[in-house]
């Protein structure tokens, strides 16, 4: 007779793909935008984190569902339906998103290495790129399951790094609840909210998760139940970390004039909460940069192979997406400002991933009896509409 403990271990062994995708929701771009939101606006934008995480949960489940039901990734399904010229243009925008993603993640790793070891940012960026390449080699040589375990371990390190400060400076529950009421405070808060959304509902993992689920389980609708649990647990963890970033900044960084940069945030955390919490913050930031840049590069490879049927060697792919970040560091640009700008770029790439996902999962000819229920399609369509409307408003208000 199989014990409950054995069943739990068996089910736990099926978890993993969503935790790899969840790394994208706690990358250095999230750290930059969330800490700026908390430091500048206090609890005002807590609702953005909550809403974005709820959106991301549904989106990631639909992406995994596509892979499990059809046995193909979202980019592969798009390739089958787009004419060649459109397909190339579509790949070009997805590649731009991948570059913006890598920019944020490499910069975050470089800043963390500078904080921890005093390394020059340029050297830190090169080291971040090298280590992320080694992490990708785990996936290439040891298989997806080993890669999932490594990334999940890093996700737990990230969680500890950013949640620890809340035990030293707990937020005020009444203000947290007040922050759940949707509102803005001028154009700057809208720009920051768009960056937070771009850092949370990230387009590259919308493409990637379909491949992760497919590669782990094949075309197996029977795994939809465990996939729901996988996505739910992963997004609860990622959402908790994102919320912790905002609340930590709101409680400990308000009034700090130097909290607009990640190294300034680290200094302010140390001043307010002590060296131990600041060290955990820096370690969490480093783990975030290393893990997320490897996942981002993996996603770029999935998109290129799916849309163009082209495989690029790992090292060549890594160098191509790493170069823009290295150039930014070499030119001496403000890394935190570049981080936040990259998240706004990401937010403009979201509709190109979301709209096809909603349309395809609503088609019975694609999904069979696993087609979305009308209510699911309506909610997913609303999510896409909100994202597009926010981006249009952002473009109007900032020009």
């Amino acid at each position: 007779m199989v014990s409950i403990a054995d069943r739990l271990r068996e089910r736990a062994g099926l978890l993993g793909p969503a935790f790899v995708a969840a790394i994208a929701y706690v990358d250095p771009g999230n750290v930059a935008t969330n800490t700026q939101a908390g430091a500048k606006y206090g609890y005002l934008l807590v609702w953005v984190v909550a809403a974005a995480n709820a959106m991301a949960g549904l989106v990631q489940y639909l992406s995994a569902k596509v892979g499990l039901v059809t046995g193909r990734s979202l980019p592969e399904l798009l390739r089958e339906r787009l004419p060649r010229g459109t397909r190339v243009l579509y790949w070009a925008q997805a590649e731009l998103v991948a570059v913006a993603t890598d920019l944020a993640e490499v910069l975050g790793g470089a800043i963390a290495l500078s904080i921890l070891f005093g390394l020059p940012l340029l050297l830190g960026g090169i080291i971040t790129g090298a280590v992320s390449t080694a992490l990708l080699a785990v996936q290439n040589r040891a298989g997806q399951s080993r890669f999932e375990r490594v990334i999940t371990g890093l996700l737990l390190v990230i969680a500890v790094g950013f949640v620890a400060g809340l035990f030293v400076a707990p937020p005020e529950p009444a203000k947290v609840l007040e922050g759940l009421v949707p509102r803005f405070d001028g154009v700057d808060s809208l720009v920051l909210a768009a960056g937070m959304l771009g850092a949370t509902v990230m387009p590259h993992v919308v493409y990637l998760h379909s491949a992760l689920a497919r590669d782990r389980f094949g075309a197996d609708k029977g795994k939809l139940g465990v996939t729901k649990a996988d996505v739910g647990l992963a997004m609860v963890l990622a959402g908790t970390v994102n919320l912790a970033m905002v609340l930590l900044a709101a409680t400990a960084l308000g009034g700090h004039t130097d909290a607009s940069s990640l190294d300034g945030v680290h200094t302010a955390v140390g001043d307010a909460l002590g060296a131990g919490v600041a060290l955990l913050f820096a370690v969490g930031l480093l783990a975030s940069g290393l893990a997320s840049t490897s996942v981002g590069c993996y996603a770029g490879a999935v998109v290129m192979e799916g849309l163009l049927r082209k495989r690029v060697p790992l090292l060549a792919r890594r160098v191509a997406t790493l170069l823009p970040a290295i150039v930014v560091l070499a030119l001496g640009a403000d890394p935190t400002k570049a981080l936040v700008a990259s998240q706004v770029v990401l937010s403009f790439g979201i509709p190109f991933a979301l709209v096809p996902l909603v349309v395809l999962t609503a088609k019975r000819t694609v999904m069979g009896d696993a087609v979305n229920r009308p209510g699911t399609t309506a909610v997913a369509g609303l999510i896409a509409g909100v994202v597009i409307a926010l981006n249009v408003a952002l473009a109007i208000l900032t020009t």
Side-chain angles (χ1 to χ4, degrees):
M1 183 176 179
V2 179
S3 68
I4 294 176
D6 289 336
R7 288 179 181 176
L8 288 174
R9 278 194 293 270
E10 180 183 356
R11 286 186 173 271
L14 297 175
L15 304 178
F19 285 81
V20 173
I23 282 291
Y25 299 105
V26 291
D27 76 349
N30 291 86
V31 183
T33 54
N34 288 337
T35 53
Q36 282 197 30
K40 188 171 183 179
Y41 294 105
Y43 298 87
L44 178 74
L45 298 178
V46 164
W47 69 273
V48 177
V49 174
N53 200 69
M55 292 177 183
L58 177 59
V59 168
Q60 291 307 136
Y61 173 68
L62 293 182
S63 176
K65 183 171 145 179
V66 162
L68 290 173
V69 172
T70 68
R72 296 191 291 281
S73 69
L74 180 59
E76 287 171 339
L77 290 171
L78 289 170
R79 182 191 68 221
E80 295 169 0
R81 287 159 175 78
L82 294 176
R84 177 169 175 77
T86 304
R87 192 164 68 238
V88 171
L89 291 174
Y90 197 97
W91 166 79
Q93 67 79 28
E95 197 66 34
L96 178 62
V97 166
V99 169
T101 301
D102 214 34
L103 174 66
E105 293 156 353
V106 172
L107 290 176
I111 293 169
L113 287 170
S114 175
I115 291 170
L116 287 168
F117 306 111
L119 297 180
L121 288 174
L122 180 58
L123 177 58
I126 293 171
I127 291 173
T128 299
V131 174
S132 66
T133 303
L135 290 175
L136 281 168
V138 171
Q139 191 273 334
N140 272 6
R141 297 176 183 175
Q144 184 172 323
S145 294
R146 180 71 60 85
F147 181 68
E148 287 172 2
R149 288 196 291 272
V150 171
I151 295 299
T152 301
L154 288 170
L155 180 58
L156 294 175
V157 172
I158 295 165
V160 171
F162 294 121
V163 173
L166 296 183
F167 291 94
V168 179
E172 299 178 45
K175 289 186 176 180
V176 176
L177 290 175
E178 185 181 344
L180 291 173
V181 179
R183 62 198 190 281
F184 294 106
D185 183 15
V187 175
D188 286 347
S189 67
L190 177 60
V191 172
L192 196 50
M196 293 168 72
L197 184 64
T200 305
V201 186
M202 297 190 75
H204 72 288
V205 287
V206 177
Y207 302 120
L208 175 63
H209 203 166
S210 57
L212 288 170
R214 184 270 317 272
D215 292 345
R216 172 65 103 83
F217 300 117
D220 185 356
K221 290 185 289 186
K223 293 298 189 296
L224 287 173
V226 74
T227 295
K228 284 183 181 178
D230 191 27
V231 171
L233 291 171
M235 294 314 301
V236 165
L237 180 57
T240 300
V241 174
N242 277 316
L243 183 59
M245 294 176 194
V246 175
L247 297 181
L248 179 67
T251 56
L253 305 185
H256 283 268
T257 57
D258 196 27
S260 60
S261 66
L262 285 176
D263 52 350
V265 169
H266 171 263
T267 300
V269 167
D271 292 341
L273 305 179
V277 174
L279 176 62
L280 289 174
F281 176 91
V283 171
L285 178 61
L286 178 59
S288 170
L290 295 176
S292 57
T293 190
S294 63
V295 171
C297 189
Y298 187 4
V302 165
V303 171
M304 176 177 279
E305 184 177 348
L307 284 170
L308 303 183
R309 281 185 173 170
K310 291 186 181 296
R311 280 180 175 266
V312 176
L314 171 64
L315 185 58
R317 175 85 204 172
R318 175 73 285 203
V319 169
T321 54
L322 181 63
L323 275 177
I326 297 302
V327 169
V328 168
L329 291 172
L331 292 175
D334 184 315
T336 303
K337 287 183 179 178
L339 267 172
V340 174
S342 73
Q343 302 312 297
V344 176
V345 171
L346 289 178
S347 73
F348 282 91
I350 295 170
F352 292 97
L354 284 190
V355 172
L357 180 67
V358 174
V359 170
L360 289 172
T361 53
K363 285 182 175 291
R364 188 170 293 276
T365 53
V366 176
M367 304 297 290
D369 58 6
V371 66
N372 288 346
R373 295 177 179 177
T376 302
T377 298
V379 172
L382 178 62
I383 290 172
V386 167
V387 171
I388 293 170
L390 181 60
N391 288 331
V392 170
L394 178 64
I396 293 172
L397 292 172
T398 55
T399 54

